[in-house]
Amino acid sequence: MKLLFLASLSPQTGNHTTAERIRSYIESAGHTCELRDPAEFQSPAEVTNLVSQNPPFEAALALHLFKAARLLLDIQVPFGVVFGGTDINEDVKVKQKRVVMEQVLLKARFAVAFTDQLKEEAEMYLMSQSSKIYVQPQGIQTHVTDNFSWTEFLRSSGVSTEHADELRVFLLVCGLRRVKDPLYLVKVFSEWHCENPLNVLIIIGPKIDPVFTVEVEAVVQRTAGVFLAQERSQQELHAAMKRCFAMVNSSISEGMSAAILEAMDLGVPVLARDITGNSAVVQHEFTGLLYSSPKEFVHQAQRLLSDHELRERVVRNGKLYVEEHHSLKQERETYQRLVDILH
């Protein structure tokens, strides 16, 4: 079967990684899967033309109901959808977008939600048939590059390497866009750094929103103890995560943060903002630590520094959680089974 898959393909983002992984599952089941970015198309008519080209596509899949799947509404072949975090956390609040997403769910053969909570909210806000939405958490796999230099990484990020081994590096992994809120902790972290200069915050991720990126760069430049690292390949990012003291998430909304799960898999403690998508995977004081204000972030970070038993517990449980709930094998079987529904 020849299948069209629409998903945002900005490099080094969670969406891109997820899309590539799902495509590999579809192709390993013997299908052909062409991955395209919805930004390439101006209207649903363009996608309809693409689908009916010769040889035609026989089915389609989209990651994100509003951003991608709305372009599939006029196609004459069956399609499935995968919820993105912004679908339920952001887009559903806008009436025009909600109407479109309801149409998408009505036409789709199936929908995939990463968490039970996302499924429940979709049923509540989008009046969808429960039987159509399947829950499949993201599969997680980490790869650490062999030739990674921690000292070089720190130096290139602007961090003094004089006491490199004593530094406590908090790594905030996110694409530079407003919904990820990378500046949320900057002021309070800088104050904390001034009290203890060994604590530093490094923000790392792709520059997705160019205007916002300029704002982030300006703030970081004038803020002590906070640094902005150059975007890295996923293997280099995983190597940096493995060396850092803790991984930080400060997003306003998340579907399911792959970076949080990757940190857990790498044996790194997670400090995550207490929002719906994060609390679905981070159980406070068990698989990680949650905070709901910048001040509380510092409090939880200090606990992580002083309480070794707590640190060991969240690391151990986080790794076990990922192994149990985010296996690639389970994810692969789910998507291969769902694609058969499109036949």
Side-chain angles (χ1 to χ4, degrees), residues 174-309:
C174 70
L176 299 186
R177 52 194 182 115
R178 291 189 191 280
V179 74
K180 299 297 181 182
D181 210 4
L183 299 177
Y184 182 63
L185 301 170
V186 163
K187 185 173 180 288
V188 75
F189 198 101
S190 184
E191 289 165 2
W192 190 39
H193 163 81
C194 291
E195 290 168 24
N196 189 337
L198 292 175
N199 300 329
V200 297
L201 177 68
I202 299 179
I203 301 167
I204 184 168
K207 300 173 178 180
I208 296 171
D209 177 338
V211 176
F212 184 57
T213 296
V214 172
E215 191 182 317
V216 172
E217 287 169 342
V219 171
V220 167
Q221 212 162 14
R222 60 173 187 261
T223 308
V226 180
F227 304 86
L228 189 60
Q230 287 300 310
E231 188 184 336
R232 300 286 180 128
S233 71
Q234 196 171 30
Q235 292 187 344
E236 287 176 312
L237 176 61
H238 288 166
M241 285 165 82
K242 203 169 173 64
R243 284 297 307 266
C244 75
F245 178 76
M247 182 270 175
V248 180
N249 174 293
S250 60
S251 298
I252 293 166
S253 91
E254 287 282 1
M256 177 175 281
S257 166
I260 285 178
L261 296 167
E262 286 162 1
M264 287 178 176
D265 192 51
L266 291 163
V268 177
V270 171
L271 277 157
R273 192 166 173 177
D274 193 357
I275 54 169
T276 306
N278 289 347
S279 58
V281 292
V282 179
Q283 193 180 334
H284 186 56
E285 297 181 343
F286 188 72
T287 57
L289 295 173
L290 295 168
Y291 64 90
S292 48
S293 69
K295 192 177 168 188
E296 197 187 345
F297 164 82
V298 174
H299 171 65
Q300 299 298 348
Q302 284 170 329
R303 290 181 67 202
L304 209 50
L305 285 165
S306 60
D307 188 339
H308 299 293
E309 196 184 317

Side-chain angles (χ1 to χ4, degrees), residues 37-53:
D37 194 314
E40 293 176 43
F41 306 99
Q42 299 299 309
S43 67
E46 289 182 25
V47 177
T48 305
N49 290 340
L50 174 67
V51 167
S52 57
Q53 70 180 23

Side-chain angles (χ1 to χ4, degrees), residues 72-227:
L72 301 177
L73 281 171
D74 297 338
I75 64 173
Q76 300 304 307
V77 298
F79 66 86
V81 294
V82 181
F83 282 100
T86 48
D87 285 329
I88 295 302
N89 299 329
E90 305 294 321
D91 293 340
V92 85
K93 297 168 189 167
V94 182
K95 193 185 176 189
Q96 299 94 311
K97 291 183 178 182
R98 191 168 65 243
V99 168
V100 171
M101 291 194 287
E102 284 176 347
Q103 289 176 301
V104 166
L105 276 179
L106 209 59
K107 282 197 79 172
R109 289 274 179 95
F110 65 80
V112 178
F114 293 146
T115 64
D116 290 314
Q117 201 161 7
L118 217 59
K119 174 181 160 89
E120 285 163 21
E121 289 182 4
E123 286 162 1
M124 187 167 66
Y125 294 124
L126 299 170
M127 275 95 79
S128 170
Q129 300 161 258
S130 177
S131 59
K132 206 180 249 190
I133 304 177
Y134 298 78
V135 176
Q136 175 54 55
Q138 294 204 67
I140 291 297
Q141 190 170 35
T142 53
H143 298 283
V144 174
T145 187
D146 294 332
N147 55 355
F148 178 78
S149 165
W150 179 238
T151 311
E152 186 278 323
F153 172 76
L154 293 174
R155 193 180 294 121
S156 67
S157 306
V159 181
S160 165
T161 55
E162 197 182 336
H163 302 285
D165 293 336
E166 296 168 52
L167 286 175
R168 270 128 7 183
V169 176
F170 291 78
L171 199 63
L172 200 168
V173 181
C174 70
L176 299 186
R177 52 194 182 115
R178 291 189 191 280
V179 74
K180 299 297 181 182
D181 210 4
L183 299 177
Y184 182 63
L185 301 170
V186 163
K187 185 173 180 288
V188 75
F189 198 101
S190 184
E191 289 165 2
W192 190 39
H193 163 81
C194 291
E195 290 168 24
N196 189 337
L198 292 175
N199 300 329
V200 297
L201 177 68
I202 299 179
I203 301 167
I204 184 168
K207 300 173 178 180
I208 296 171
D209 177 338
V211 176
F212 184 57
T213 296
V214 172
E215 191 182 317
V216 172
E217 287 169 342
V219 171
V220 167
Q221 212 162 14
R222 60 173 187 261
T223 308
V226 180
F227 304 86

